[in-house]
Amino acid sequence: MLRTLFHRLFLQALPTLFVLSALSFLLVRLAPGSPFASEKEQSQQTLDTLNATYGLDQPIPVQYLRYMGGLVRGDLGPSLVKPGRTVFELIQTALPVSIQLGFLALIFAISVGIPMGVFAAVNHNRWGDYLCMGLALIGVCIPGFVLGPLLSLQFGLNWGWFPVIGWEEPIDRVLPTISLGSIYAAYIARLARGGMLEELGKDYIRTARSKGLSEWKVVWKHALRGGIQPVITFLGPAAAGLLTGAFVVESIFEIPGMGEVIVGAATERDLFLVMGSVMLFGSVLILFNTIADLLLAWLNPRIRLHKESK
Amino acid sequence: MILEKGTSLGRDAWRRLLHNKAATAGLILLMAMILICVIGPWISPYTQEEMNWDAINAPPSVKHWMGTDATGRDLLTRTMHGGRISFSVALAATMVSLLIGVAYGGISGYRGGKTDAVMMRVVDVLYGLPFTLLVILLVSIFEKSLMLLFIAIGAVEWLTMARIVRGEVLGLCRQEFVEACRVLGYSNLRILFRHIIPNVLGTIIIYITLTIPSIMLLEAFLSFLGLGVQAPMASWGSLIKEGAFAMEDMPWQMIVPGSALFFTLLALNFLGDGLRDALDPRRISHASTTPPPEHSDSEPGPAAVAGSEETGSLLTVRNLNVTFPQRQGILRAVQNVGFVLNQGEALGIVGESGSGKSVTVSSLMGLVPSPPATISGSAVFRESELIGASASDLRKIRGDKISMIFQDPMTSLNPHQRVVDQVAEPLRIHRGVGKAAARKRAVEVLEEVGIRDAAKRAMSWPHEFSGGMRQRVMIAMAMITEPDLLIADEPTTALDVTVQRQILELIARMRKDHGTAVLFISHDLAVVSAVCDRIAVMKDGVMVEQGTAEDVMERPQHAYTHALLNCHPGLHEPGSRLMTLDQMAETGGRL
Amino acid sequence: MTMTPTLEVQDLRVTFPVKHGEPVKAVDGVSLTIPPNETLGLVGESGCGKTTLSRAILGLISFEGEVFLDGTPLDWKQDEKRLRKQVQLIFQDPFASLNPRMTVDQCLQEPLWVHERCPREERVIRVNQLLDQVGLTQAAKGKYPHEFSGGQRQRVAIARALILEPEFVIADEPVSALDVSIQAQILNLLQDLREQMGLTMLFISHDLAVVRHVAGCVAVMNKGQIVEQGPCAKVLETPEHPYTQTLLDAAF
C-alpha cells in the first residue's frame, strides 16, 4: 500500500504537477496582451516599473523558477490586476465552494449510480434492467447546463421547493448538486452494470452459487468487489470532470466559485492568479486520482501484493 | 469454380448491428440530424445573423417554426448552424485524436519493452493534467478560434485513444496468430498493418462512438462558458446559454437547442451501444465462433435406468430433458437422461465437448438459469425432488449435502477473498458456525487435503497458489460440510499429468474416508475408468451406454463407446492409424 | 550408416532476466538430434521449458548454443528469409493461431507471395493442392476461421505451416486443445503428411500416449533440461530417470 502511494506520488503526481505548472506558465506568458493593459494610458515607463516590480522583465525561465520557489514556500504571489490583493485572498473563498460542490455531486453520483447499476445487472434483460438503463441513457444525454435550467424552472420557480440562486443554506445545494452529478450518476450506473455483468459471468461466481449462497450474498459479498472496479477507475476522470463541470453550474445558480475566478484571471492575463488556481486545482485532482488508485489496489489483492512484493 | 463466400467478422458485426432495433434507430436519427444541419441552412429563408426587430422572442409559429430569439433571429436556422459547428468540431477533433492516438499507441504496444514503458509513463503523467482547465486557459488567452478548439480538444482525447490502442496491440502481439506471422517471416510493417491493425479496428470504432459525444459535450460546455464560438455565429452550447436565462418566459429558446443536443447524444449512444454489442470480441466468440452444435435427432437413450435400484440409492435421475431456445428452433442439450447413483458409489459421465454432460449435472444443482432453459424430468436426492424445487430449497442442499468442484481452479476461486474464508464459507452459511470456529475447521480440512503449513498459508490469496494447490483448496471447500455427494466437473483437465494423478488420488481418498458418493465428469475415458465404479457415456445429449467400468472398457456395447476407445492413442499400437469417428460411421459401428 | 541429422541442437540455453534476483534458466543446456524424416517427441509438463526451446529453435528469442539444420548452423540474423521457408511451427490453439479477419485463401496465399512472389495462377494451384492434402474442400477457401470447427481450423493451421514446403516442422501441442475423436484425425493427418512430404518433426506434448503414438524417439524434459532421451520403446518401457518414471506412473 505504502509502496503504491510512494510510486504514485513521486513517479506520477510530481511530474504531472511540474508539467502542469510549466505549461500554464508558458501559456500565460506567451499570450499576447499584458495584465496591466487595463490601466489606461500608461506610459511605457510606468509599464516598465510595473513589470520590474513583479519581476516580469526577467527572462521567462527565471520568472518561472522564481514563481516555483515561492510556491514551494507556500507563497502564491500577488494578483497583478487587483492591486494590493494576494492570490490566496482571492482564492480562499471561491475554491472551497467549488470543491464542496464537486464533492457533493460525486457523492450523489456514486450513491445513485452504483445501486442502480448493480440492480440493473442483477435483473439482466428484465424490466428493472431496461428501466434503469433507460434512465441512465437519458441521464448521459442531458448535460448539467441543460438539466440545471430545467430543474430550476420546475422545482425552483414553478413549484418553489428549492431556491434557484445562492450558496448559503444547505437547501441551496440541492439543485446544483443534482444538476452537476446526474450525468456522472448515469455514467457510473452504466459502468457498474457492465462490470457486474462481467463479474457475475465468472467461474468463481458459479462456485459461490454451488456453495448454496443466496443471490443477495453472491452479488454483494462476492461479485461487488470486482464489479465496481471500472467505477473506481472512472473516479479520477470523474473528479476532473466534476470540478471543471462545476463552472457552468456555478454560473447557472450564481454560486461564487472558481469558474468565474479562473476565466476572469485568464482573460485578464493575471499570471499569478491563473497559476495559483491551476496549481491548486491540479493538486486536488491528483489527490483524487491517487485516492482512486489506492482504492483500486485495496480492492484487488493481486495489484496490492504485486506492488509490495517487488 | 464457384467459391463459397464466407462471412467476415466485419460483415457479421454489421448484420448484427442492423438486427439491433435501437442501434438502427440511432443510426437513422443521427443521419437525419446531420442531413438537416448540413442542408437545412441552405433551404431556410433566414440566415443566422439576420435580426428582425418585429419578431423579437416570437414563439413557434408558421413563419418561425421554432420561434425566434431576443433579437428576432430564427431559432431553427441558428440551431442548424450550431449543429454544423458541433458535428464538425466532433469530427475534426476525433480525427486528430485518432491519428495521434493510434500511431502512438500502436508503436508503444508493438515495440513493447523499454520503449513502451517510457511512452506510457509520458501518457500517465499527461493523463493527470486537468485538461479541461488547460483548454479553458488556452481559449480564453488566445483568440477564440474554432481551429484552436479542434486541436485543443483533439490533443486532450488522444491520450485515452493511445492507451486503448496500446493495450489492444500489446494483447494481440501475444496472440498466436501474430507469432505465426513472425514464424512465416513477414516484415514488421506487414504484421502491424495487415494483421494487427485490422483486429484493433473494432475497438477503435467503439471508442470513437464514445469520443464523439464527449467532444460535443465539451464544445457545448466551452461555448456555454462563452469560450467557444463567438457571436454572431451560433453553437448549441451558446444557444442553450442564451435560452437558459430566458427559460421562464421563452422556454422554447432553450428547449430547441437543448433537444437538438439531447437527441444527437441519444442517437450516438444508441449507435455506440449497438456497435459495442456487435463488435465485442467476447460476444463474437460466444455467438458465432463455435459452430452451432448439431441438432441431433438420434434415438432417445435408454430411458430405463440400467443401474441397480437398491434401497441405497442416493440420487435417482429419470427422463431428464434440458432444452435451450436458439435463433432457429431449440437445442436439446440433454435428452431423456437417467441414472442411479448409490451411496458411496462413483459414477463417471464421459463425453466430448457439447455432449451435454456438464449441463446434466448443473441442471440437477439448479445452476442452469431457467428461463431461458427448460428443464423437465425427475431427480430425487434422498427423498427430495431437485427438478422444479424452489431456489431456496436447492440452496440448502447445494454446498451442504451436494458439493461441486470445477474444471479451472485458476478462475473458480474468488480472487478478492482469502483462501481460508472461502473454504470456511459453506460451514458458516449452512451450519451457522462462527467466523473463528469456521476458520479453525477450514485450516484442518486444508491440512487434510495436503496443503502443508496450512495454518500459515490459509491466510493467502488464491493467486499465490499453483493450479494443483488451488484444486486442493476447491476440494477442501467442497468437503468441509462432509457432503453425501461430490460432483466433480472435469476436475483435472486443466492440470499437468503428475498433478492430475495426485488430485485423482486425493478424490479417491476423500471418498474412502468420508463415504462420499462421486459424480465424475470428464472427456477422458481412461481417467474416468481409473476413479469410477460405473461409467455412463454421453453423445449429443443422449446417454448412449452405461455399465460397470470394466464392462464399458472391455466390452463396449455402443458404437460410439467403441470409437472413443479406439481413438485413444494410449490404447493403441504405436504408429498405427487411429480409428476416427467418421470411419466408425462408415463401417456401421462394427469393428 | 551415418546420415547428417536434419536438426541438431547443441547445448542450447535460454535465460530470462528477473528484476530482483537470479535470472531464470528456462532452457538449461539442451542437446537434441533428429534424423531426416523422423519424429522426435518432446515430453514435459507445463513450465518445463519445452515451448521456450521451440521458440529458440525458431529464432524468436535469443539463446546461447548452436542449432544446425542439415549440418549447417542456423543463423537467423543473416539468413532469416530463407530459413523461414525451411522451418515452420504448428500451434496448439487453432482458435488463436489464425487471423480472424482473413479467409483461408488469403491466409494460405500470403506466405507464397511474401516469400516467392508467386504469380496468382501458381498460388491458386498450390493452395488447392494443399487443401486437398489436409482434407479440406475447395469450398473452405472463401471462409473465415470462425466458421470452422476446432479440428478443421487445425487443418487450416497445418496447411499454412506446410504451404512453403518446409523441411522441418515443430508441432507444439497440436492436439491438446481438441476433443479425443478429433485428436485422432489430426494425428493421422500429421502422420500421412510426414510420409508424403518427407517432413522431419519435433512433436511437443504433455501427453505420453500421444507421443508414443506418433514419435519414434522421445526426449523427456524437466526444469529446462533433457533428463532422458532415446527410442520410445526403450525410454517408455524401461525408464532410467526417476522423473520419467513419475510421468509414466501418472499417465493413463
Side-chain angles (χ1 to χ4, degrees):
Chain A
M1 212 63 164
L2 273 176
R3 208 147 193 134
T4 318
L5 187 65
F6 188 83
H7 193 258
R8 265 308 305 212
L9 274 182
F10 288 95
L11 290 178
Q12 218 155 323
L14 287 182
T16 305
L17 275 178
F18 169 74
V19 172
L20 178 62
S21 63
L23 210 61
S24 25
F25 202 94
L26 264 181
L27 267 182
V28 186
R29 284 310 291 153
L30 293 181
S34 146
F36 312 116
S38 54
E39 289 170 34
K40 285 164 209 160
E41 288 147 29
Q42 287 157 327
S43 61
Q44 188 57 41
Q45 207 182 349
T46 336
L47 265 180
D48 288 344
T49 329
L50 276 170
N51 274 332
T53 319
Y54 295 110
L56 300 185
D57 50 351
Q58 311 271 340
I60 289 179
V62 177
Q63 293 176 26
Y64 173 70
L65 286 179
R66 281 173 65 173
Y67 175 76
M68 288 309 281
L71 196 65
V72 171
R73 276 177 272 119
D75 177 16
L76 293 174
S79 162
L80 298 182
V81 176
K82 300 187 176 70
R85 308 206 47 191
T86 64
V87 170
F88 182 75
E89 280 169 22
L90 290 170
I91 290 179
Q92 70 172 348
T93 50
L95 187 68
V97 171
S98 286
I99 290 181
Q100 200 185 25
L101 175 57
F103 192 69
L104 282 175
L106 185 65
I107 300 286
F108 169 77
I110 292 174
S111 50
V112 171
I114 291 184
M116 220 163 112
V118 173
F119 179 76
V122 172
N123 291 292
H124 186 43
N125 280 343
R126 273 179 288 194
W127 67 267
D129 185 17
Y130 298 136
L131 184 73
C132 283
M133 284 306 109
L135 275 176
L137 192 60
I138 292 173
V140 172
C141 298
I142 305 185
F145 50 86
V146 174
L147 187 62
L150 287 176
L151 288 180
S152 67
L153 180 69
Q154 198 55 36
F155 294 97
L157 298 175
N158 287 357
W159 291 346
W161 291 359
F162 300 103
V164 295
I165 274 177
W167 190 256
E168 270 96 52
E169 305 299 318
I171 198 168
D172 292 341
R173 289 154 169 76
V174 175
L175 291 186
T177 301
I178 296 176
S179 310
L180 182 57
S182 75
I183 195 168
Y184 291 92
Y187 277 130
I188 289 178
R190 287 165 64 106
L191 285 172
R193 174 179 178 267
M196 285 302 284
L197 277 183
E198 184 170 343
E199 212 62 19
L200 284 171
K202 287 192 175 166
D203 284 353
Y204 76 86
I205 294 300
R206 185 181 56 178
T207 311
R209 291 205 175 110
S210 82
K211 284 188 203 174
L213 260 67
S214 63
E215 202 53 31
W216 178 264
K217 272 200 170 154
V218 169
V219 169
W220 293 98
K221 216 178 141 197
H222 284 269
L224 190 66
R225 267 186 109 136
I228 61 166
Q229 282 181 15
V231 176
I232 308 287
T233 322
F234 176 66
L235 284 185
L242 281 166
L243 281 176
T244 36
F247 297 175
V248 282
V249 175
E250 283 164 16
S251 94
I252 292 167
F253 292 94
E254 294 181 27
I255 298 165
M258 285 298 289
E260 219 179 320
V261 176
I262 289 190
V263 175
T267 325
E268 291 171 329
R269 310 285 186 271
D270 194 340
L271 173 66
F272 295 143
L273 186 53
V274 170
M275 287 303 296
S277 319
V278 169
M279 292 309 286
L280 283 177
F281 235 87
S283 315
V284 172
L285 277 187
I286 287 168
L287 184 72
F288 247 96
N289 274 325
T290 312
I291 293 174
D293 258 25
L294 291 178
L295 260 178
L296 208 59
W298 176 70
L299 279 174
N300 193 341
R302 228 170 304 183
I303 300 178
R304 190 186 337 166
L305 292 164
H306 211 66
K307 288 263 163 68
E308 275 173 12
S309 64
K310 264 184 186 171
Chain B
M1 186 180 64
I2 305 151
L3 247 183
E4 201 171 312
K5 256 293 196 214
T7 329
S8 74
L9 288 183
R11 203 173 315 147
D12 197 40
W14 181 244
R15 209 191 53 219
R16 253 174 300 150
L17 185 70
L18 294 183
H19 263 284
N20 184 333
K21 288 195 191 83
T24 319
L27 188 64
I28 293 170
L29 185 57
L30 185 66
M31 286 306 180
M33 286 304 253
I34 294 176
L35 215 64
I36 290 171
C37 291
V38 172
I39 299 176
W42 287 332
I43 301 172
S44 161
Y46 307 100
T47 66
Q48 58 170 335
E49 302 96 348
E50 184 186 272
M51 301 182 195
N52 179 358
W53 300 105
D54 299 329
I56 292 170
N57 291 331
S61 64
V62 183
K63 255 182 101 181
H64 297 280
W65 290 356
M66 299 288 171
T68 61
D69 70 359
T71 51
R73 292 176 292 195
D74 183 61
L75 204 56
L76 178 61
T77 312
R78 283 178 71 73
T79 306
M80 291 188 296
H81 274 285
R84 283 184 172 184
I85 302 233
S86 276
F87 282 118
S88 45
V89 168
L91 213 65
T94 308
M95 288 316 287
V96 172
S97 75
L98 195 67
L99 286 177
I100 307 178
V102 170
Y104 194 94
I107 293 171
S108 180
Y110 190 70
R111 300 285 306 177
K114 285 215 177 77
T115 322
D116 179 46
V118 171
M119 286 177 89
M120 280 302 120
R121 170 67 50 212
V122 171
V123 168
D124 281 349
V125 166
L126 292 180
Y127 205 74
L129 292 177
F131 266 104
T132 324
L133 207 58
L134 284 179
V135 172
I136 290 176
L137 278 189
L138 204 68
V139 280
S140 53
I141 288 174
F142 292 92
E143 58 194 289
K144 288 149 183 161
S145 83
L146 263 182
M147 203 50 220
L148 203 63
L149 201 63
F150 290 165
I151 296 170
I153 297 176
V156 179
E157 296 286 339
W158 76 266
L159 287 171
T160 323
M161 181 61 94
R163 274 190 168 180
I164 289 174
V165 171
R166 176 253 178 188
E168 202 69 14
V169 170
L170 206 64
L172 282 169
C173 280
R174 294 203 196 102
Q175 290 258 327
E176 286 188 344
F177 77 83
V178 175
E179 209 180 356
C181 293
R182 297 228 165 85
V183 173
L184 285 163
Y186 298 167
S187 64
N188 279 340
L189 277 181
R190 174 173 278 270
I191 296 177
L192 194 58
F193 287 101
R194 283 273 290 161
H195 293 268
I196 292 180
I197 297 289
N199 281 291
V200 187
L201 268 180
T203 315
I204 292 177
I205 292 173
I206 289 173
Y207 184 66
I208 288 176
T209 64
L210 291 173
T211 313
I212 291 181
S214 79
I215 290 175
M216 292 180 94
L217 273 175
L218 186 57
E219 184 273 326
F221 169 85
L222 290 171
S223 295
F224 190 95
L225 284 178
L227 299 170
V229 181
Q230 291 305 294
M233 274 164 71
S235 105
W236 287 347
S238 60
L239 288 172
I240 290 170
K241 182 184 182 138
E242 285 161 22
F245 294 99
M247 190 74 202
E248 207 177 343
D249 304 312
M250 282 81 71
W252 66 88
Q253 288 185 3
M254 149 131 184
I255 288 172
V256 173
S259 2
L261 181 61
F262 173 75
F263 283 111
T264 308
L265 291 176
L266 197 66
L268 279 166
N269 272 297
F270 272 138
L271 186 61
D273 286 356
L275 275 171
R276 227 163 303 154
D277 286 350
L279 291 168
D280 186 347
R282 270 166 303 176
R283 266 166 214 268
I284 291 169
S285 68
H286 279 298
S288 65
T289 47
T290 19
E294 284 132 47
H295 296 240
S296 86
D297 293 317
S298 48
E299 297 287 298
V305 178
S308 50
E309 210 158 326
E310 295 154 25
T311 40
S313 84
L314 180 70
L315 175 69
T316 311
V317 177
R318 283 170 188 289
N319 286 326
L320 183 70
N321 281 285
V322 183
T323 57
F324 294 96
Q326 298 249 300
R327 215 178 284 167
Q328 290 118 9
I330 53 164
L331 170 69
R332 303 181 64 189
V334 177
Q335 301 175 43
N336 288 336
V337 161
F339 59 86
V340 171
L341 182 65
N342 293 320
Q343 255 159 24
E345 189 184 35
L347 171 69
I349 301 183
V350 184
E352 293 186 279
S353 48
S355 64
K357 55 193 194 304
S358 285
V359 179
T360 304
V361 289
S362 300
S363 62
L364 298 182
M365 297 284 278
L367 292 176
V368 173
S370 165
T374 328
I375 305 169
S376 68
S378 150
V380 179
F381 174 77
R382 288 188 176 285
E383 271 103 62
S384 46
E385 174 63 55
L386 298 178
I387 305 296
S390 74
S392 66
D393 284 345
L394 277 176
R395 269 205 297 275
K396 276 183 204 133
I397 298 174
R398 212 156 60 202
D400 187 6
K401 300 275 174 250
I402 307 180
S403 301
M404 281 185 95
I405 54 177
F406 300 97
Q407 171 170 353
D408 194 349
M410 293 311 204
T411 56
S412 293
L413 289 168
N414 185 345
H416 309 123
Q417 210 182 24
R418 287 181 198 279
V419 161
V420 65
D421 291 326
Q422 296 191 51
V423 175
E425 199 168 21
L427 267 193
R428 302 198 59 201
I429 51 176
H430 290 294
R431 307 281 159 81
V433 178
K435 187 170 183 173
R439 274 190 167 183
K440 193 164 155 270
R441 178 76 192 120
V443 171
E444 285 167 24
V445 182
L446 282 170
E447 196 95 47
E448 195 188 335
V449 297
I451 289 182
R452 256 167 279 146
D453 215 358
K456 226 169 82 195
R457 302 211 61 192
M459 293 303 283
S460 317
W461 302 92
H463 65 266
E464 297 173 273
F465 281 67
S466 68
M469 283 296 152
R470 285 188 216 192
Q471 200 60 295
R472 285 175 194 270
V473 171
M474 285 295 290
I475 293 173
M477 194 160 80
M479 294 305 295
I480 196 166
T481 54
E482 309 235 319
D484 297 324
L485 172 59
L486 173 70
I487 298 180
D489 189 352
E490 302 259 13
T492 60
T493 309
L495 303 174
D496 271 326
V497 264
T498 46
V499 184
Q500 160 167 290
R501 182 59 90 178
Q502 293 162 10
I503 295 295
L504 292 178
E505 277 162 10
L506 177 62
I507 292 174
R509 182 157 61 81
M510 292 317 256
R511 182 185 156 209
K512 207 174 96 223
D513 292 357
H514 301 275
T516 316
V518 176
L519 199 54
F520 193 102
I521 297 167
S522 177
H523 67 281
D524 193 335
L525 254 177
V527 169
V528 168
S529 69
V531 218
C532 297
D533 310 320
R534 286 192 303 122
I535 296 178
V537 180
M538 278 188 84
K539 179 181 191 288
D540 298 334
V542 179
M543 207 165 255
V544 294
E545 176 163 2
Q546 53 176 308
T548 65
E550 199 193 319
D551 279 347
V552 172
M553 297 297 287
E554 304 294 327
R555 293 172 290 280
Q557 299 298 307
H558 195 275
Y560 180 71
T561 319
H562 250 302
L564 273 186
L565 282 167
N566 272 308
C567 46
H568 201 289
L571 308 168
H572 262 262
E573 275 297 294
S576 63
R577 281 190 71 83
L578 298 169
M579 198 58 129
T580 62
L581 285 179
D582 310 337
Q583 291 164 327
M584 293 300 307
E586 279 160 26
T587 56
R590 279 185 303 277
L591 287 166
Chain C
M1 68 181 183
T2 48
M3 262 198 285
T4 330
T6 300
L7 188 90
E8 191 171 357
V9 177
Q10 278 179 8
D11 197 30
L12 191 143
R13 289 167 198 277
V14 180
T15 41
F16 293 121
V18 175
K19 247 190 181 168
H20 303 287
E22 290 276 292
V24 173
K25 291 179 183 169
V27 179
D28 191 8
V30 163
S31 301
L32 293 170
T33 35
I34 312 178
N37 214 355
E38 277 283 339
T39 302
L40 174 73
L42 183 63
V43 190
E45 294 187 284
S46 53
C48 74
K50 54 191 198 295
T51 296
T52 311
L53 173 63
S54 73
R55 300 305 186 266
I57 296 175
L58 285 161
L60 294 175
I61 48 180
S62 54
F63 59 90
E64 295 163 52
E66 293 265 27
V67 180
F68 299 92
L69 187 70
D70 295 326
T72 40
L74 283 185
D75 187 348
W76 288 106
K77 283 207 184 78
Q78 287 285 314
D79 223 5
E80 166 148 13
K81 197 103 187 178
R82 188 179 60 83
L83 290 174
R84 288 278 171 237
K85 281 185 65 182
Q86 295 181 354
V87 184
Q88 275 301 318
L89 176 65
I90 298 167
F91 291 87
Q92 167 176 5
D93 188 355
F95 291 82
S97 64
L98 294 171
N99 185 343
R101 290 180 194 276
M102 278 193 167
T103 62
V104 170
D105 201 26
Q106 289 169 332
C107 165
L108 293 182
Q109 284 197 21
E110 193 178 17
L112 291 176
W113 173 248
V114 170
H115 280 276
E116 301 177 12
R117 301 282 159 198
C118 265
R120 193 178 155 70
E121 300 78 44
E122 195 192 328
R123 290 204 304 256
V124 172
I125 293 170
R126 280 173 69 176
V127 167
N128 288 350
Q129 201 183 352
L130 192 60
L131 279 178
D132 203 40
Q133 273 181 305
V134 299
L136 288 170
T137 57
Q138 301 292 314
K141 275 166 62 174
K143 289 195 184 168
Y144 289 86
H146 65 265
E147 298 174 279
F148 292 107
S149 67
Q152 286 170 316
R153 271 186 240 202
Q154 195 60 302
R155 286 174 194 269
V156 176
I158 290 173
R160 184 187 53 190
L162 298 182
I163 188 91
L164 292 171
E165 294 168 0
E167 178 178 0
F168 174 65
V169 174
I170 300 179
D172 188 0
E173 303 260 12
V175 295
S176 60
L178 304 172
D179 270 329
V180 263
S181 58
I182 315 285
Q183 262 188 29
Q185 297 170 8
I186 298 296
L187 289 177
N188 285 342
L189 174 68
L190 281 175
Q191 263 175 305
D192 295 344
L193 289 170
R194 187 175 61 92
E195 279 160 28
Q196 289 165 19
M197 305 177 80
L199 293 174
T200 307
M201 225 190 302
L202 178 64
F203 191 99
I204 301 176
S205 178
H206 67 278
D207 193 337
L208 275 174
V210 169
V211 166
R212 194 203 316 254
H213 191 79
V214 296
C217 292
V218 66
V220 181
M221 196 164 178
N222 186 29
K223 292 180 185 157
Q225 292 175 328
I226 302 286
V227 296
E228 191 165 359
Q229 186 170 185
C232 268
K234 186 179 153 286
V235 174
L236 301 180
E237 300 307 325
T238 52
E240 280 166 16
H241 196 276
Y243 180 72
T244 317
Q245 188 63 52
T246 321
L247 268 188
L248 278 168
D249 290 344
F252 290 94

